[in-house]
């Protein structure tokens, strides 16, 4: 379970947390293990070739989602939270021109090595195969001069940029072994802790975070998360052109933003602003630019849009409200990661935009003074009306219907919050029951509707996978 808000909201490049961020982390983890291995071997046994095999959804939509580029970046030692767009292009160009990967692990002065690598032959898309633990499986193999296998590792990208090993066990993070004051794995446990301790959800989360980070570091990193979110909105609001990938999808956020600035505010203008904020983020994500995984890249626009809508149209900015929003949203996101999935390849888009909608609804309710029961109610409404949401990206790209779907998720989140705040918080269906239902719905969903581009809109539009 992600036990830190800083794990759930991570910074990376688009277009997909499960197909881009996760594979980059897996590839970076692999070369770290490989470096330790070749250091213990004679020079003549050093790695002369690396091969990457992509399975399931990673194979079927990997090209459109940039998985092939992501594994190259990871093998070169790049990390999602620190790589810039400029650096990304430089590394990929260097590999394309030299057919070699110069890996810099930035561990010590000797942790750089140069390996032959041809992306066209050394990245294999296993279109008809799936590994046992998850649809997003990948295999890394390293060979010596005599083509003997040196190292083989299997990883799974399980949504939100999180990765697991061959046994399905989460790859340890810096906070994995640190105890927190108030652990919880269900909403019932979370609410019981809040009642018994007299805390709001955000206050309880804050105390958990202080077990993992210093107060100064936590404040700085939460501010950084919002800064990247807001930067992605502003970049999207001021950038025009055609998104990459071959669908010739035009960026629309900048044009809509210009129109909104000149129009007189009307009764529906709030929804228009919500939509343009969400669209701006996901156009940036589709372009492969820097966004916050919230809780995934495919759903990266929902939470920033609702948060900016709150600060621009409902209340003035304050650090306290920012913290309250992000911490409340993270608590709800952790419940979905623990009780269901954040992976569209596993449960459809209900695990991405649906979860983001639920998180945003809860957080907006919290900053507007809702009690813990109203917050739970808002989160429950947010997911209840996204149940069964499929993932069928046209052309295997995170563009249609993904960009517009984020606008719908943001609007639903605000409406869910309104409904919860206008009630007494009492509701028949608990959030835990909705999360369980979401998981069962995902398991019942046909595979063609789970990020494979084999059904739904992807087929109806009659566009080949890019």
């Amino acid at each position: 379970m992600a036990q830190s808000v800083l794990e759930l909201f991570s910074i990376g490049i688009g277009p997909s947390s499960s197909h881009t961020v996760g594979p980059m982390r897996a590839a970076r983890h692999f070369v770290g293990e490989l470096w330790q291995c070749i250091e213990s071997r004679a020079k003549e046994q050093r790695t002369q070739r690396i091969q990457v095999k992509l399975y399931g959804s990673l194979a079927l939509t990997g090209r459109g989602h940039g998985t092939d580029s992501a594994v190259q970046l990871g093998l070169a030692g790049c990390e999602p939270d620190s790589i810039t767009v400029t650096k990304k292009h430089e590394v990929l160009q260097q590999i394309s021109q030299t057919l070699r990967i110069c890996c810099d692990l930035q561990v010590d002065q000797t942790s750089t090595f140069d390996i032959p690598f041809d992306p066209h032959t050394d990245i294999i898309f296993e279109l008809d195969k799936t590994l046992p633990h998850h649809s997003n499986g990948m295999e890394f193999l390293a060979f010596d001069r005599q083509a003997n296998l040196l190292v083989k590792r299997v990883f799974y990208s399980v949504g939100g940029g999180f990765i697991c090993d061959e046994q399905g066990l989460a790859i340890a993070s810096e906070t994995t072994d640190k105890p927190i004051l108030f652990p919880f794995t269900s909403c019932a446990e979370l609410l019981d802790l809040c009642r018994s301790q007299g805390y709001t959800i955000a206050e309880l989360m804050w105390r958990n975070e202080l077990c993992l980070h210093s107060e100064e570091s936590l404040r700085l990193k939460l501010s950084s998360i919002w800064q990247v979110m807001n930067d992605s909105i502003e970049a999207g609001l001021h950038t025009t052109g055609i998104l990459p990938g071959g669908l010739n999808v035009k960026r629309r956020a900048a044009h809509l933003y210009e129109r909104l600035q000149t129009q007189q505010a009307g009764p529906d203008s709030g929804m228009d602003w919500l939509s343009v904020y969400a669209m701006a983020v996901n156009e940036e994500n589709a372009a492969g630019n820097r966004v916050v995984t919230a809780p995934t890249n495919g759903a990266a626009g929902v939470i920033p849009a609702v948060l900016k809508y709150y600060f621009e149209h409902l209340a003035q900015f304050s650090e306290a409200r920012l913290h309250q929003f992000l911490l409340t949203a993270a608590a709800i996101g952790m419940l979905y990661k623990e009780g269901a999935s954040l992976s569209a390849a596993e449960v459809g888009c209900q695990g991405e935009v649906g979860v983001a909608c639920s998180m945003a609804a809860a957080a907006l309710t919290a900053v507007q003074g809702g009690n813990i029961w109203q917050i739970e109610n808002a989160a429950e409404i947010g997911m209840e009306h996204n149940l069964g949401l499929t993932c069928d990206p046209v052309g295997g790209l995170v563009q249609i219907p993904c960009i517009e779907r984020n606008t719908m998720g943001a609007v639903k989140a605000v409406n869910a919050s309104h409904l919860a705040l206008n009630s007494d918080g009492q509701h028949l269906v608990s959030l835990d029951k909705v999360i369980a239902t979401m998981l069962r719905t995902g398991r019942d969903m046909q595979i063609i509707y789970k990020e494979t581009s084999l059904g739904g809109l992807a087929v109806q539009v009659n566009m080949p996978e890019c």
Side-chain angles (χ1 to χ4, degrees):
M1 177 180 179
Q3 58 179 1
S4 173
V5 61
L6 304 180
E7 291 178 335
L8 200 73
F9 293 128
S10 60
I11 298 169
I13 56 173
S16 171
S17 50
S18 59
H19 286 59
T20 308
V21 177
M24 192 189 304
R25 285 179 176 153
R28 175 64 174 76
H29 193 82
F30 172 74
V31 292
E33 293 189 1
L34 179 61
W35 173 249
Q36 295 177 351
C37 174
I38 64 175
E39 277 294 275
S40 64
R41 295 173 181 267
K43 286 186 178 181
E44 61 270 16
Q45 292 180 305
R46 284 179 179 267
T47 303
Q48 290 299 304
R49 182 190 176 201
I50 289 179
Q51 186 180 76
V52 182
K53 295 183 179 182
L54 304 173
Y55 296 86
S57 178
L58 292 183
L60 290 165
T61 60
R63 288 189 176 91
H65 284 59
T67 307
D68 47 351
S69 297
V71 295
Q72 293 175 66
L73 294 169
L75 291 174
C78 301
E79 297 182 276
D81 58 346
S82 58
I83 189 172
T84 64
V85 175
T86 300
K87 178 68 172 178
K88 176 184 78 169
H89 293 309
E90 289 176 353
V91 171
L92 293 175
Q93 184 178 37
Q94 180 268 327
I95 295 171
S96 176
Q97 291 176 346
T98 66
L99 298 183
R100 302 184 71 86
I101 284 182
C102 182
C103 178
D104 183 6
L105 298 179
Q106 299 181 345
V107 175
D108 52 51
Q109 293 182 344
T110 64
S111 61
T112 299
F113 54 96
D114 195 284
I115 300 172
F117 189 84
D118 185 345
H120 298 291
T121 58
D122 291 326
I123 300 177
I124 300 171
F125 292 83
E126 299 282 7
L127 299 174
D128 299 322
K129 298 179 181 178
T130 302
L131 297 181
H133 290 295
H134 195 282
S135 179
N136 290 335
M138 64 201 108
E139 188 176 58
F140 295 85
L141 304 100
F143 302 90
D144 66 11
R145 291 172 183 261
Q146 291 74 40
N148 298 312
L149 181 64
L150 291 175
V151 181
K152 172 185 171 182
R153 294 289 184 270
V154 171
F155 298 96
Y156 296 94
S157 180
V158 296
F162 294 96
I163 57 173
C164 294
D165 63 16
E166 188 168 7
Q167 288 72 44
L169 301 175
I171 301 296
S173 70
E174 64 177 13
T175 64
T176 299
D177 298 325
K178 295 181 180 180
I180 56 177
L181 285 176
F182 306 111
F184 57 90
T185 58
S186 69
C187 189
E189 291 177 356
L190 173 61
L191 298 185
D192 283 344
L193 285 168
C194 289
R195 285 196 297 265
S196 65
Q197 301 297 322
Y199 293 146
T200 65
I201 292 174
E203 288 169 344
L204 185 135
M205 287 288 292
W206 180 263
R207 282 157 178 79
N208 279 347
E209 291 294 328
L210 292 182
C211 298
L212 309 173
H213 315 281
S214 70
E215 184 169 343
E216 180 182 4
S217 174
L218 181 57
R219 290 182 183 277
L220 288 173
K221 289 180 178 179
L222 289 175
S223 294
S224 177
I225 288 169
W226 168 236
Q227 186 65 57
V228 175
M229 285 180 173
N230 197 46
D231 286 348
S232 65
I233 293 174
E234 292 300 320
L237 293 179
H238 296 90
T239 305
T240 59
I242 304 296
L243 293 171
L247 291 181
N248 294 319
V249 173
K250 292 182 180 179
R251 284 179 176 256
R252 290 182 288 164
H255 176 63
L256 293 173
Y257 178 60
E258 185 177 349
R259 286 181 57 188
L260 281 172
Q261 287 183 304
T262 60
Q263 289 178 352
Q264 186 175 359
D268 297 328
S269 62
M271 299 300 100
D272 292 335
W273 284 106
L274 262 175
S275 295
V276 77
Y277 295 151
M279 186 174 289
V281 175
N282 281 83
E283 287 179 351
E284 284 295 288
N285 178 64
N289 294 333
R290 196 170 176 82
V291 297
V292 174
T293 301
T296 70
N297 282 34
V302 176
I303 290 171
V306 174
L307 184 50
K308 190 171 182 70
Y309 167 77
Y310 173 71
F311 284 139
E312 295 287 337
H313 302 275
L314 301 179
Q316 291 186 335
F317 176 85
S318 77
E319 185 183 69
R321 293 302 187 197
L322 171 64
H323 295 169
Q324 185 181 19
F325 191 102
L326 293 177
L327 291 166
T328 303
I332 301 303
M334 290 174 186
L335 295 176
Y336 283 100
K337 187 176 187 307
E338 178 70 15
S341 174
L342 304 180
S343 170
E346 188 173 14
V347 296
C349 197
Q350 58 176 355
E352 298 202 24
V353 168
V355 172
C357 175
S358 182
M359 293 167 64
L364 183 61
T365 304
V367 295
Q368 293 188 100
N371 60 43
I372 58 175
W373 296 277
Q374 290 172 317
I375 292 169
E376 184 203 16
N377 191 18
E380 179 269 325
I381 295 170
M383 174 52 72
E384 184 178 337
H385 301 287
N386 279 292
L387 287 174
L389 195 61
T390 60
C391 180
D392 47 0
V394 175
L397 298 164
V398 192
Q399 296 179 17
I400 303 172
C402 318
I403 295 171
E404 288 180 353
R405 185 164 286 175
N406 274 257
T407 73
M408 302 303 293
V411 170
K412 281 186 178 181
V414 172
N415 193 37
S417 178
H418 285 170
L419 289 172
L421 286 168
N422 284 312
S423 75
D424 59 6
Q426 300 301 311
H427 47 285
L428 182 63
V429 181
S430 70
L431 180 57
D432 287 331
K433 289 181 179 178
V434 167
I435 292 173
T437 302
M438 171 240 193
L439 178 60
R440 287 195 299 271
T441 302
R443 288 174 175 170
D444 291 340
M445 190 181 293
Q446 292 186 44
I447 189 67
I448 61 173
Y449 300 117
K450 294 193 282 190
E451 209 168 5
T452 61
S453 288
L454 297 175
L457 285 176
V459 174
Q460 293 297 324
V461 176
N462 196 29
M463 177 66 64
E465 200 273 324
C466 298

